[in-house]
């Protein structure tokens, strides 16, 4: 009988531990001032080289003509809308794909050249290339 009560107590502690793990490990809120919540649409990768900054926006199913890309004061803004793929009046049982309007704002380095920005949409990926200012590029000085 004592074993049964002890087992029940441990079962309750185990259930509580699982609930606490779920509460804290599944939290998907932002972790810092520049972080965004998991699942933010569209997903973005950013990389940089000494000559340019590359931004990849993963946004399948968009009409590239409806995308609004702008760069102002080191803030790159990508906005657009993905239309619903469901017929009107359809009953939804589960929805994991985002549809609707979106807007992402990304801080880029101060040495980018706002006059040398290119954007291309291919296979569901928007690739934005922002060149860095030529006058700020490191130069090798030859010693004579």
């Amino acid at each position: 009988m004592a074993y049964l009560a002890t087992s029940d107590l441990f079962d309750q502690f185990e259930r509580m531990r699982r609930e606490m793990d779920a509460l804290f490990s599944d939290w998907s809120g932002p972790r810092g001032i520049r972080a965004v919540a998991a699942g933010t649409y569209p997903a973005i990768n950013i990389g940089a080289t000494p000559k340019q900054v590359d931004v990849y926006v993963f946004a399948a199913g968009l009409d590239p003509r409806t995308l609004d890309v702008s760069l102002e004061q080191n803030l790159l803004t990508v906005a657009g809308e993905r239309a619903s793929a469901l017929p009107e009046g359809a009953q939804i049982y589960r929805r994991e794909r985002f549809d609707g309007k979106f807007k992402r704002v990304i801080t880029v380095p101060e040495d980018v050249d706002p006059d040398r920005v290119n954007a291309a949409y291919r296979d569901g990926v928007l690739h934005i290339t922002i060149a860095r200012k030529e006058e700020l590029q490191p130069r090798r000085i030859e010693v004579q």
Side-chain angles (χ1 to χ4, degrees):
M1 189 81 161
Y3 172 76
L4 193 56
T6 304
S7 176
D8 188 41
L9 179 63
F10 284 119
D11 288 345
Q12 289 180 21
F13 278 123
E14 179 61 21
R15 181 186 52 77
M16 186 169 64
R17 184 194 63 78
R18 283 193 312 268
E19 289 176 3
M20 294 296 283
D21 284 349
L23 176 67
F24 291 110
S25 67
D26 290 344
W27 186 73
S28 60
R31 303 270 196 263
I33 193 165
R34 296 202 185 271
V36 295
T40 299
Y41 181 83
I44 294 176
N45 285 354
I46 304 170
T49 66
K51 296 198 177 267
Q52 68 188 32
V53 174
D54 290 296
V55 179
Y56 297 90
V57 182
F58 301 94
L62 297 178
D63 179 356
R65 296 172 297 194
T66 65
L67 290 171
D68 181 21
V69 179
S70 64
L71 179 62
E72 184 179 346
Q73 296 183 356
N74 300 6
L75 294 176
L76 175 67
T77 302
V78 179
E81 182 173 4
R82 180 160 61 182
S84 176
L86 297 172
E88 191 172 319
Q91 186 174 4
I92 300 168
Y93 294 101
R94 183 176 185 122
R95 174 173 276 176
E96 294 182 356
R97 184 176 185 212
F98 174 86
D99 54 49
K101 292 183 179 184
F102 65 87
K103 182 176 184 178
R104 296 290 307 267
V105 180
I106 305 141
T107 304
V108 294
E110 292 183 16
D111 65 345
V112 298
D113 188 344
D115 296 325
R116 295 176 43 210
V117 180
N118 293 314
Y121 184 82
R122 182 175 178 192
D123 297 330
V125 178
L126 174 63
H127 180 200
I128 303 167
T129 304
I130 311 167
R132 294 183 186 260
K133 294 178 182 172
E134 297 263 341
E135 63 269 14
L136 299 177
Q137 294 291 319
R139 282 179 263 162
R140 181 161 169 27
I141 300 170
E142 191 172 318
V143 179
Q144 299 179 6

